[in-house]
Amino acid sequence: SKDESLLLKNTFGLHPLTTEDLINSNTRIKIEEFNDYLFCVFYGIKISNELNEIDFILGKNFIITSHKKEIPSFNELKDNKERLERIFKKGNDFLFHKLLDMEIDNYFPVLEKIDDQIEKIEEEVAKKPSSQLLSDILKKKRELIHIKKVTLPQREKISFLTKNEYRFISKKAIPYFRDIYDHAIRVSDSIDNYREAIANTFDVYMSAVSNNMNEVMKTLSIIATIALPLTVISGV
């Protein structure tokens, strides 16, 4: 809320543009370094394919996360005090890594679900194409495009955490962010593969419909050929 963002601004010396991004939703993926903190915007995902914006503010002795809806992985970590204590001893950048890592890993169950759905659609296309099946194909294409718009720039920004030097990310933490970057590459590549698969499925569907139409035309042609002499005879 505006009151919460104002409280954070006054307590941690946040820039007005940062507090504005905290309030607004659908902020573009970004990494911005200010004098007293590092501001990052990334996106997690739910099993329902719903994307969730997560804002991170990483300072010398604090870390702030902002998100519109509850995140189960964050709550689990909050409840595990022993694990939190071990991470805090390493530094705030390691906590930032852990939070981001958990959210990137959440993409994999979603990708598995999408893979199963595409496989099922391919089987249905081979059996009997229908208008409902076409609707499912187009819906899946839209979902993949929507996720693609996030995964590609997110992969690029995560690479910045491994290549660029930031005051609030130690050199010890960089190899761990490389691991997140590898996962982000896998996610992005998988989305590309699924987009290609669903596009091929669409082509197969159109071919199947065309073949069915040809069979109907053949049947009608045969009926017309048989009926034509009868029509001539009856006309005479």
Side-chain angles (χ1 to χ4, degrees):
S1 67
K2 290 185 178 181
D3 292 336
E4 291 170 338
S5 64
L6 182 61
L7 177 63
L8 291 173
K9 176 185 175 182
N10 295 333
T11 305
F12 297 97
L14 302 184
H15 194 279
L17 292 176
T18 300
T19 56
E20 182 180 338
D21 285 336
L22 292 176
I23 296 173
N24 296 332
S25 57
N26 299 323
T27 307
R28 69 176 178 85
I29 297 169
K30 64 170 70 176
I31 297 177
E32 294 179 343
E33 190 170 27
F34 294 86
N35 292 332
D36 299 322
Y37 60 90
L38 181 69
F39 178 57
C40 304
V41 178
F42 294 109
Y43 280 80
I45 195 169
K46 295 184 176 181
I47 196 66
S48 60
N49 296 354
E50 181 184 0
L51 295 169
N52 186 24
E53 178 186 335
I54 310 171
D55 306 325
F56 296 92
I57 303 175
L58 179 65
K60 182 179 180 181
N61 57 358
F62 65 87
I63 180 169
I64 303 169
T65 62
S66 175
H67 38 90
K68 302 299 181 184
K69 298 180 180 179
E70 284 194 3
I71 302 177
S73 60
F74 284 19
N75 292 335
E76 289 178 10
L77 188 59
K78 287 178 183 179
D79 294 336
N80 194 332
K81 295 183 179 180
E82 293 181 0
R83 192 178 184 187
L84 266 181
E85 187 177 354
R86 289 197 301 269
I87 297 174
F88 274 128
K89 287 180 179 179
K90 295 179 180 179
N92 288 337
D93 50 353
F94 281 86
L95 179 58
F96 172 44
H97 157 266
K98 190 62 183 177
L99 296 173
L100 181 59
D101 184 45
M102 290 189 297
E103 285 308 294
I104 297 299
D105 286 346
N106 283 342
Y107 278 85
F108 292 110
V110 174
L111 295 178
E112 290 178 4
K113 187 189 72 171
I114 291 175
D115 187 28
D116 293 339
Q117 291 172 341
I118 292 176
E119 186 176 346
K120 184 178 180 181
I121 290 174
E122 289 173 342
E123 292 176 357
E124 292 295 326
V125 167
K127 292 178 182 178
K128 186 179 179 181
S130 63
S131 58
Q132 179 59 46
L133 198 56
L134 177 60
S135 176
D136 293 340
I137 292 172
L138 296 178
K139 179 181 178 181
K140 193 56 58 182
K141 285 184 70 175
R142 289 193 297 269
E143 287 179 359
L144 290 171
I145 291 172
H146 183 56
I147 298 174
K148 175 69 175 179
K149 289 180 180 179
V150 167
T151 56
L152 185 60
Q154 186 152 276
R155 182 182 72 177
E156 179 187 6
K157 295 301 182 183
I158 291 175
S159 72
F160 290 175
L161 297 175
T162 66
K163 298 174 183 178
N164 301 341
E165 293 185 0
Y166 297 104
R167 285 192 302 139
F168 302 102
I169 297 180
S170 63
K171 291 183 179 180
K172 291 181 179 180
I174 288 178
Y176 294 92
F177 284 100
R178 288 196 192 117
D179 181 62
I180 298 179
Y181 178 52
D182 289 340
H183 292 178
I185 292 176
R186 285 174 55 195
V187 169
S188 182
D189 289 346
S190 295
I191 292 297
D192 285 336
N193 293 336
Y194 294 148
R195 285 186 65 193
E196 184 177 348
I198 201 67
N200 292 336
T201 303
F202 178 77
D203 293 338
V204 171
Y205 172 86
M206 296 305 296
S207 297
V209 170
S210 179
N211 291 336
N212 290 343
M213 184 65 70
N214 290 337
E215 292 297 325
V216 171
M217 293 303 295
K218 286 180 182 179
T219 303
L220 293 176
S221 297
I222 293 172
I223 294 174
T225 302
I226 296 173
L228 182 59
L230 300 176
T231 304
V232 172
I233 293 171
S234 63
V236 172

